[in-house]
Amino acid sequence: MSKPVVAIVGRPNVGKSTLFNVLAGETISIVKDTPGVTRDRIYADCTWLNMNFTLIDTGGIEPDTSDVILSQMREQAEIAIATADVIVFIVDVRQGLVDADTKVADMLRKSRKPVVLAVNKVDSYEKFGNDVYEFYNLGIGDPVPVSAASRLGIGDLLDEVVKYFDCAKLEEEEDERPRIAVVGKPNVGKSSIINKLLGENRVIVSDIAGTTRDAVDTEIIHDGTPYVFIDTAGLRRKSKIHEELERYSIIRTVTAVERADIVVVVIDAKEGVTEQDAKIAGIAHERGKGIIVAVNKWDAIEKNDKTIYEYTNKLKEILSFIPYAEYLFVSAATGQRLPKLFEVIDAVRQNQNLRVSTGVLNEIMAEAVAMQQPPSDKGKRLKIYYMTQVAVKPPTFVAFVNDKELMHFSYVRYLENQIRSAFGFRGTSLKFVIRERK
Ligand code: GDP
Ligand code: GDP
């Protein structure tokens, strides 16, 4: 199930970061054990009324001259339109309505994306309440007065945002087709891979009315089965946004990954795996998606019969936080092994949806515990009463134990390895939830 994406757009100094921090605040998820993922607060996991969404802050570098501000804002708005389900457009009541606001509002209105207009810095409704009306002139609906700094009106704002979730969500849930995001650094060959797949298979570019975002998704039919490839915005159209802006590259990756079941992380064989590749893979891992690492440009490598083996080992060492990932060595130039991609996608999808019965699971666990004693602390030993699988995509297991504190991370790893050696689960992450039961 993909989480909705909410983007914040607005001029410099209107309070985007302040609002972002308030919304992300205490709910920001803690990422542990994923090397390469630095939490630089470009995006955050949020919850409101039991609804989860991903919040992105499109604001980056702060320009100083007004013409640069406008072009920067247009780029932000483009990113938001391309990637978000709902856009929060934020303006500043103290500065009043500014020309740049009007121009961006025009863009947002034309995109037909749901937009919630937040009028910030209304620290006192008595003092500033009347000034809010002016923003009706933007023509994007009712302004919601907020004060990010004093945390006023935040609930009302979120109510407006989540109202838009239902439709988008239902549409995607009814969709049975596998959704695949092809991600990676610039120039690794993402577009070349998609284009090659397009060339060799039947293609339908979907543009179902109302689903503005689906317009950039591409359906590829391979052997009679439809697959949806999620366009990382700007894949086909050359965007004005400079690729070197890491912030935008991360936003595009996160939002594409969020909507996907399976993520194909493309790596350039000539360059080998870099820190940025690890970061991108980390985003997919963190979100519990299926992962296929596609090493592209394999044609450009000098090789003998040991090269694939050696290369795989090197990759696995650097990407050791995703030991379950599938690896594929391909060439978009020659088409080598690209048809195999569909086979691997099918296999990973099956694994993501695999259910293990509680009986069999507990047999495996009993064996595992017999082979390696659970950890103990101050004379108290961990007892695992039983384990059961509660969800798929990713497969999620709940273990009931006597004392949560005793469940060491490395023991969870050990159990995971035992489960994997029994059932495989190649290509998908597994999630473990530890519950105490006295
Ligand atoms: P950004 O450039 O849009 O990300 O804006 P910031 O979040 O950095 O905020 C710009 C300035 O406005 C900072 O000095 C904030 O403290 C201030 N600010 C943000 N929200 C509010 C608010 O609700 N009321 C007041 N009075 N100031 C605010
Ligand atoms: P993207 O930025 O990740 O979408 O990368 P592109 O698809 O635009 O490819 C970047 C460059 O790598 C282009 O010059 C491609 O011709 C080249 N390229 C892509 N795939 C291959 C491949 O399989 N082999 C070789 N030798 N070059 C490739």
Side-chain angles (χ1 to χ4, degrees), residues 14-35:
V14 292
K16 292 184 299 299
S17 325
T18 311
L19 181 66
F20 182 86
N21 287 328
V22 168
L23 296 182
E26 303 79 42
T27 63
I28 193 159
S29 72
I30 299 143
V31 188
K32 41 178 190 328
D33 190 45
T34 307

Side-chain angles (χ1 to χ4, degrees), residues 245-266:
L245 289 184
E246 167 130 4
R247 176 184 210 91
Y248 293 140
S249 154
I250 290 178
I251 290 175
R252 282 205 298 270
T253 305
V254 170
T255 51
V257 164
E258 199 62 87
R259 300 178 53 228
D261 305 308
I262 293 172
V263 179
V264 177
V265 181
V266 183

Side-chain angles (χ1 to χ4, degrees), residues 100-157:
D101 290 337
T102 312
K103 292 204 167 101
V104 172
D106 287 345
M107 275 179 76
L108 296 178
R109 195 180 331 103
K110 281 190 196 123
S111 78
R112 295 176 28 227
K113 273 273 147 99
V115 179
V116 177
L117 174 61
V119 181
N120 192 31
K121 309 198 186 175
V122 185
D123 303 338
S124 142
Y125 200 77
E126 259 172 24
K127 236 166 133 185
F128 300 104
N130 280 334
D131 300 334
V132 172
Y133 294 103
E134 180 189 7
F135 294 98
Y136 272 103
N137 290 321
L138 289 173
I140 46 174
D142 299 335
V144 185
V146 299
S147 167
S150 339
R151 300 175 178 237
L152 299 172
I154 303 299
D156 293 338
L157 178 67

Side-chain angles (χ1 to χ4, degrees), residues 185-192 235 296-300 330-333:
K185 286 183 308 184
N187 287 319
V188 291
K190 298 181 295 297
S191 335
S192 305
L235 201 69
N296 188 36
K297 309 195 188 179
W298 197 240
D299 59 285
V330 301
S331 164

Side-chain angles (χ1 to χ4, degrees), residues 183-212:
V183 301
K185 286 183 308 184
N187 287 319
V188 291
K190 298 181 295 297
S191 335
S192 305
I193 289 177
I194 300 254
N195 286 333
K196 191 78 181 174
L197 295 175
L198 290 177
E200 290 176 355
N201 296 277
R202 202 154 72 80
V203 181
I204 295 165
V205 178
S206 57
D207 57 345
I208 311 153
T211 60
T212 32

